[in-house]
Amino acid sequence: MATVSSHPGAEAAPRLETAEILASGGGTLVPSPALEVFREGMDYFNRGELSLAITSFEQVVAQAPDFPDGHMALGVAYAVDSRVYPAIDHLERATSLAPGNFAAHFKLGQFYFKLRVAQKGYEEMARALDCCTSLEQKKMVAQLIREEKQREKN
């Protein structure tokens, strides 16, 4: 069973039998089996079991190809595993599926900065700022931009 929630792992009512609508997913209807695999993948990722997390997230995007959080999680897992091009593909897919998703733009911008592709990083950070819903998110973007500018000076 799944719940209606604003983000993965949140507890809320009412319960739905076959799908969960995630606000960060742009209102995407996600089949419960895919959500269960997504949660398993998050557990694997958080325990440092990267290959199992990647396998789980690959299953998620196969079952729910329009689920932005699935693509974002897979992109982040690929990035951690140094699989640059698939990481970019899935992070970009997440931003295209949910253009108002702060986390998707932030993670993509952060990854571009790590790759030393500063211009694309700044572009994604501008998009992330447009999606901010809290002061904390604005602070996160500002901090990352400060760090990048400092890196560029050195």
Side-chain angles (χ1 to χ4, degrees):
M1 246 196 246
T3 62
V4 173
S5 67
S6 59
H7 56 78
E11 296 298 324
R15 296 179 77 73
L16 300 175
E17 290 296 322
T18 58
E20 179 169 350
I21 299 172
L22 301 174
S24 63
T28 303
L29 196 61
V30 181
S32 288
L35 285 173
E36 290 180 31
V37 175
F38 177 79
R39 289 186 182 109
E40 288 173 5
M42 293 300 292
D43 288 341
Y44 288 135
F45 186 86
N46 291 330
R47 289 195 312 255
E49 298 178 56
L50 194 55
S51 66
L52 291 172
I54 288 171
T55 299
S56 294
F57 296 141
E58 288 172 340
Q59 291 173 8
V60 169
V61 299
Q63 292 175 22
D66 293 332
F67 180 36
D69 291 354
H71 286 281
M72 185 169 47
L74 183 55
V76 169
Y78 280 149
V80 171
D81 198 38
S82 301
R83 293 164 69 179
V84 173
Y85 296 112
I88 290 171
D89 289 345
H90 285 281
L91 290 169
E92 286 180 345
R93 178 76 174 136
T95 64
S96 69
L97 288 169
N101 184 322
F102 168 81
H105 290 290
F106 184 82
K107 286 296 183 186
L108 181 56
Q110 185 179 42
F111 191 51
Y112 278 135
F113 284 153
K114 287 190 182 302
L115 294 173
R116 305 298 189 242
V117 184
Q119 185 58 40
K120 285 190 175 193
Y122 288 121
E123 291 168 4
E124 286 305 319
M125 286 300 126
R127 290 181 187 107
L129 273 175
D130 289 341
C131 301
C132 286
T133 58
S134 71
L135 180 59
E136 185 62 30
Q137 289 175 340
K138 290 179 182 179
K139 287 179 181 179
M140 290 169 57
V141 171
Q143 177 63 31
L144 195 60
I145 288 172
R146 273 194 303 276
E147 289 172 6
E148 179 61 18
K149 289 193 181 283
Q150 184 63 39
R151 186 203 60 79
E152 289 172 357
K153 286 182 183 178
N154 296 332

